[in-house]
Amino acid sequence: MIRNRAAKAISLGVALGALAAMMAPAPAAAKDVLIHAGTLIDGASATPRSKVSILIHDDRIAEVRDGFVRPGRGVELIDLSGATVLPGFIECHDHISSSGDRRPLNRFVQSEGDAVIAAVANARKEIEEGFTTVRDLGSGPLTAPAIIRAIEAGQIIGPRYWTALQAMGPTGGHSDRLNGLSPAISVEGRDDAIIDGPEDAVVKVRAHRRNGATVIKIMPSGGVGSIGDDPNHMTMTDAEMKAAIDTAHALGLKVAAHAHGKQAIDHAILAGVDSIEHGTYSDDESYRLMKEHGTFLVPTLLVADAIYQTAVKTPDRLPPTVAEKAIAVTPTMVGNAGRAYRAGVKIAFGTDQGATSGRNKAEEFALLVKAGLTPMDAIFAATRNAAELIGTPQDIGSIQKGRYADIVAVKGDPLADITVLQRVQFVMKGGETVKRDGKLLR
Amino acid sequence: MMLAAATPALAKDVVIHAGRLIDAVSNAPRSKVSIIIHDDRITDVRDGFVTPQGAEVIDLSTRTVLPGFIDVHDHVTGGGARRDRLRGTPEQAGMQSVWNVRAILKGGFTSVRDVGGNIEVLAALQDAVDRGLVPGPRLTISGPAISPTGGHSDPTNGIDPRWERADDWKMTVIDGPDEAIRAVRELRKRGAQVIKIHSSGGVASVGDDPNLQLLSDDELKAIMTTAHSLGLKVASHAHGKPGIDAAIKAGVDSIEHGTYSDAETYRMMKERGTYMVPTLFAAQEIYDMAVKSPDKLPPTVAEKAIAVTPTMKHNAANAYKAGVKMALGTDQLGYRPHGENAKEFEYLVAAGIKPFDAIMMGTRNAADLLGKTQDVGSIQKGRYADIVAVDGDPLGDITELQRVKFVMKGGKVYKQNGAMLAED
């Protein structure tokens, strides 16, 4: 199967290259824009700056200057002098084809078509909420590449995406779509998300990259929103993790590890993973290892809160065993975020919750602050830290010369009231104003 | 079957002294009657309390005695495993069924027609009941129902086509008369004693419309001809009038549910002797769930349930008034624990049927539909000693039938003074 696809990909390679060149949008005439920022949280400095001018040329920031400079001829002025301006937010843990509806039947009912439609809606909502970069840690084999192409071609609006395509884990693990089902059942594509053995890990990581993955997601522990697997278990072997991580790093891809139990967390860190997602049952030793290895923690408090609320209020909407797991795991996840932060672990922002699920992704900021982060550090989690985790701080995560002009603005002071980040008034992505005065422009 | 039947160790005469007897032969209750039983059958029914020499007396002289009840529309493998197309396994269904049939017997139902479930599980269950390994009612089984692609029992309805099952989950999904004939023969080979079809769409399924006729006339005809020539009756699930009328014209033996029947339908049913099985318990059950916890139902089901249930009740009353032959069926889907089949009597009476006639629906009429009047459905000479008793007068309070105190099946007592006997 994999071999056939590879052959096909090679034979189509030349034609595809030509096609991509044809499809790329023609660059518009060079454009200069000037933003007057009343208050600037630039994602680099630890304190806000007042009255700052941001000069933008085409899709990048050309200069950041103190004071409100006058626009030169042909320069468009965007007046945000009454607002707080920040770098576009970065979401490190998303599932772009998720609607947030966790009713048990959905996984059988929803097709690739539904996944794409959900992703289009999510992309629009994400950019509307101020997220200009999103790391998709699992949405199926075909959805993210299609959405990315459509955004690049200007057909739809959405953030910059990094995608893992599908998360990978062992037979019976969190990514096994057959968990809890009759053994007579099978589903197309299931094996693509399964790693059994280090050699299989190497092949699957390579295949993911070939199919468009720009980050690799592994599942070394069980999970909450799935049937039968235990979040406390380490479900992958050291050799499997090492093989996946080494292969990914050699190919220039970062690796995110879904991990709840301490053993899976610690072993993934030792195997060289770049981020621990969830990280529920970490302890002081885990934090020490993370600091030693520079590993990020992505606490995903919004999904924990969302599933917890569902488990308490409408448990019928969850598959069997999930409600019990959610009620057990959530309080620990919140406590872990605070402890890791105080221990000095690098925290990056991730919600694990589809944008169209009825919760604003920026609620994660408030949850991080509630867990013990300062508002500024919560903002750093979604800007410079997230950019560092993704691996492109030269492009995103701060408002500095040379970065993409990914810029948002809110009314009020987020350092005093973090919830103002849930009401983004202005969004610019790559120099294009997408949202102004609280309204999307297209 | 003959070989498998349990043989009592020692033939013994038993006599039941019945204070009041609704025998489902006479059209009124009788007082003080003796029922004489030899082995598994009734050998005599005599007025007055008599005790043949050496006979064991079962004193039900303060109770109302009736034939064991018959449910002609149930799903005894019910519970999560039967409903869940993708998680359920036959092993789970088998385990669940053992509990279910015991509960059903405990409720006074000594015969049950199962019109939809895994045929291997049902055949094994029937065998275990007949051999006396599992306490339960006499079973008449259909196995999975025959439906067209996209019909009420197409298990892939609403499912993303990437999902597949390696077993024969689509064995009875047919298109065209040839496939219909093969499905009937296949079911019979695997142990079916009745054929269940879906001539219309249904309620507790995704995407199919209860109003539409989904099996074509020639498919229906092929099914009837094949089944009847093999000695099998055919029961058709049907809600919408086109599906109902087409099944009647093709020669079906019973219409299950029958929601949108009209005067013309009733006329045809009377003309041909077709039975109506209204299944009000299931209608009420799914309606309650649609109102109280719709999230437990698949998408679209709640809306369908809310639309269909009130009409089903009216149909039961209308068919009754029109003089259509009617039999009792509960259609327990597994949303509730099994064993409450006698609630159907209450729902039938609430719909406007006389208590006595409701009891006939669950005894002699049901036996007639099963084609087994010589064995079950009445208390008279030659019939199996399938006998139940309640305390009060069910003609005064139909809910008495939900409090069965005594259950005998084939001469063996399973429940006495309201409790199942320890050995069972």
Side-chain angles (χ1 to χ4, degrees), chain A residues 103-105 107-112 141 177-188 227 314 316-317 319-320, chain B residues 84-90 157-167 169 206 292-299:
Chain A
R103 274 179 292 186
L105 256 179
R107 68 170 162 153
F108 307 122
V109 168
Q110 286 174 355
S111 67
E112 288 279 4
R177 296 173 71 193
L178 301 181
N179 281 356
L181 302 184
S182 159
I185 298 282
S186 59
V187 61
E188 197 186 307
I227 302 167
T314 50
D316 291 347
R317 295 197 175 178
Chain B
D84 197 323
R85 290 166 283 178
L86 293 146
R87 291 189 195 90
T89 63
N157 279 357
I159 299 281
D160 175 15
R162 285 172 296 174
W163 291 91
E164 190 47 275
R165 268 193 93 121
D167 55 12
W169 70 333
V206 181
K292 286 180 206 151
S293 41
D295 288 336
K296 286 191 178 170
L297 296 172

Side-chain angles (χ1 to χ4, degrees), chain A residues 11 105 116 146 180 190 202 206 239 266-267 284 312 349 377 379:
Chain A
S11 67
L105 256 179
V116 171
R190 172 262 182 192
V202 173
R206 290 174 179 163
D266 292 0
H267 285 239
D284 289 342
V312 172
F349 180 106
D377 283 335
I379 292 168

Side-chain angles (χ1 to χ4, degrees), chain A residues 301-312:
Chain A
L301 302 182
L302 185 57
V303 75
D305 189 63
I307 300 193
Y308 185 85
Q309 299 294 341
T310 308
V312 172

Side-chain angles (χ1 to χ4, degrees), chain B residues 327-360:
Chain B
L328 178 144
T330 60
D331 191 14
Q332 283 306 279
L333 301 161
Y335 292 121
R336 295 168 65 88
H338 277 260
E340 302 174 319
N341 307 54
K343 280 196 175 182
E344 183 72 19
F345 289 113
E346 184 186 346
Y347 290 122
L348 289 168
V349 170
I353 293 166
K354 282 184 194 149
F356 188 84
D357 289 334
I359 292 170
M360 293 308 112

Side-chain angles (χ1 to χ4, degrees), chain B residues 47-64:
Chain B
D47 284 323
F49 292 150
V50 297
T51 308
Q53 186 122 29
E56 177 196 337
V57 178
I58 296 177
D59 180 9
L60 301 175
S61 61
T62 62
R63 293 190 161 141
T64 302

Side-chain angles (χ1 to χ4, degrees), chain A residues 22-42:
Chain A
M22 282 165 57
M23 282 171 64
K31 204 175 104 183
D32 289 296
V33 176
L34 172 65
I35 292 177
H36 284 171
T39 304
L40 176 66
I41 296 174
D42 63 11

